Each structure stands twice: as C-alpha cells, then as structure tokens.
C-alpha cells in the first residue's frame, strides 16, 4: 500500500523542509528523492516570511523531476497567489468601493514578501505555479491549503473548483485575482462549536473522510509556543487535521504521514 504524506507552509525555509523530508525517509542525505512508491503532497505557501521561498520552489521542482510521475503533488496556497499577484500586478490599484488603497504590492509587503523571491522568479516558474490545483483527494483525505469553506464558491466538485480557479488565475483581471487572494486568506471555518458541521458538509460535497489543511498555525490554536509543537492537530470531532507547524515562527516543518481512511 502506498504511503501518503503531506507538508505545508514552508515559508522560505528550505533547510527545515529538507531535514523533515530526510527524517521521514522521503529524501536521502543529499536531498534527493528516496521515497520509493510513497506519495507526497505540498499544501502551499512556499513563499514569504522566510528568507528563501525561491529556494523552496527550486528544491520541490527538483524532487518532482526525480520522483516517479505523480508521486509529488503541489497545491496552491494563498502566498503563491500573493507572490504571483505581486509579480503580475505590482502596485496597481485594485478597484473597489471605499477610500483605502489596496494593491498586491501592499499586501505582499504586509505579509512578509521577500524581494529576492520576486527577483529570481522566472516565467517558467510562473507558468508552472499557475497550473497547480487548489484541492486534492488521496487516501480518504480532502487536501487543501486554507481552512476555509470558500473553495465551494468556485464549484460543486474538486474538478470544477480546480478548473474555475485555474481560469481565474489565467485571466488578466486584477479584480478577479484579488477575489482569489481574498478567498484563500480566509480561515478558521472548522473551529468552534459549528466547525465539525462545516467540515462534515464540505466532505459530503467534495469527498473524503477527513480534511487536511495548512494556513493556520497549530500552536496558535493550542495557545503554545510553535517551538514546542511536535505533531499535527486533529480537531472538529476528528474530521480535520491541521499540519501548519509555524516553520517561519520557530516551529517545525511537519511532514505528516496520513492514515488510510
């Protein structure tokens, strides 16, 4: 049986990613793929907050070339949308009602954007990222970056959502792009008294028995220092697994093996 792993929110820390993948037996001491028939999902946020987001991207793309076809799969996170939006639109004003100025550049700066990532991002990188999906389904797990139900604004099935989101990102409309960014920054849909119901409805519509997400740091939910975190968090009556260890904030880069459901 194929072992399935997930990791998220590396945020410019390739050395943490490399160490965690090696510890999980997915890469060798030189950082080359050694996962045999294992499957690895990246749930987004290669960029921002940490110093070398482009290094994360380069490393992941190298692993994809080394691994068997479809052994490594990448989903888009909100910081991919932000980095791509910054690259495409820069300081262009985003039209909206109200007087507050907003642009991808302003949000990029506020959210830890790194000049080096933008300088080294190639056209090939951009094209490759734009073709990554938003959602995946594997081993009974519904995989996504953000802990939000807003994905369903794009459609009723995983295929519909991925296709509609891709169409948005292949447009040149800054308002459309901004809406993608807004949706992807929402969070906490599965927390609180009604969280398990939201998760259950989402799973019924899109498939799977458990949601796996990044985006929201587990330590914040637990009220602990990220440096003290050692494992992912199952919550919402067991329907949701959070795997963002807070790598940029002193926490671990969690490479999580998913049980077959």
């Amino acid at each position: 049986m194929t072992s399935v792993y997930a990791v998220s929110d590396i945020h410019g820390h390739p050395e943490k990613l490399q160490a965690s993948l090696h510890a999980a037996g997915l890469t060798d001491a030189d950082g080359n793929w050694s996962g045999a028939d294992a499957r690895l999902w990246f749930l987004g946020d290669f960029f921002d907050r940490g110093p070398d987001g482009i290094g994360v991207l380069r490393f992941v793309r190298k692993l994809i070339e080394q691994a068997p076809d479809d052994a490594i799969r990448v989903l888009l996170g909100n910081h991919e949308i932000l980095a791509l939006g910054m690259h495409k639109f820069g300081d262009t004003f985003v039209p909206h009602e109200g007087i507050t100025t907003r642009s991808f550049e302003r949000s990029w700066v506020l959210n830890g954007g790194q000049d080096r990532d933008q300088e080294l991002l190639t056209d090939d990188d951009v094209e490759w990222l734009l073709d990554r999906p938003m959602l995946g389904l594997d081993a009974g797990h519904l995989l996504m970056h953000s802990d939000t139900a807003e994905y369903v604004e794009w459609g009723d099935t995983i295929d519909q959502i991925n296709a509609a989101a891709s169409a948005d990102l292949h447009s040149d409309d800054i308002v459309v792009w901004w809406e993608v960014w807004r949706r992807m920054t929402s969070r906490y849909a599965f927390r609180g008294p009604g969280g398990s119901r939201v998760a259950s409805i989402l799973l019924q519509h899109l498939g799977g028995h458990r949601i796996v997400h990044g985006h929201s740091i587990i330590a914040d939910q637990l009220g602990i220092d990220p440096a003290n975190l050692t494992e992912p968090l199952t919550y919402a009556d067991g329907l949701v697994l959070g795997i963002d260890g807070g790598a940029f904030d002193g926490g671990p880069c969690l490479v999580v093996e998913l049980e077959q459901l």
Side-chain angles (χ1 to χ4, degrees), residues 10 31 37 65 77 91 108 123 168-169 216 248 261:
I10 300 110
D37 62 347
E65 290 179 358
D91 63 357
W108 176 78
D123 290 343
D168 284 352
L169 293 175
S216 296
F248 78 88
L261 296 178

Side-chain angles (χ1 to χ4, degrees), residues 75-109:
L75 302 181
L76 290 172
N78 62 304
H79 282 267
E80 277 69 55
I81 308 306
L82 183 57
L84 292 167
M86 172 61 184
H87 176 82
K88 187 176 182 70
F89 299 108
D91 63 357
T92 302
F93 174 69
V94 182
H96 68 109
E97 294 181 2
I99 59 174
T100 302
T101 300
R102 64 182 184 182
S103 68
F104 275 98
E105 181 183 55
R106 183 171 184 271
S107 289
W108 176 78
V109 170

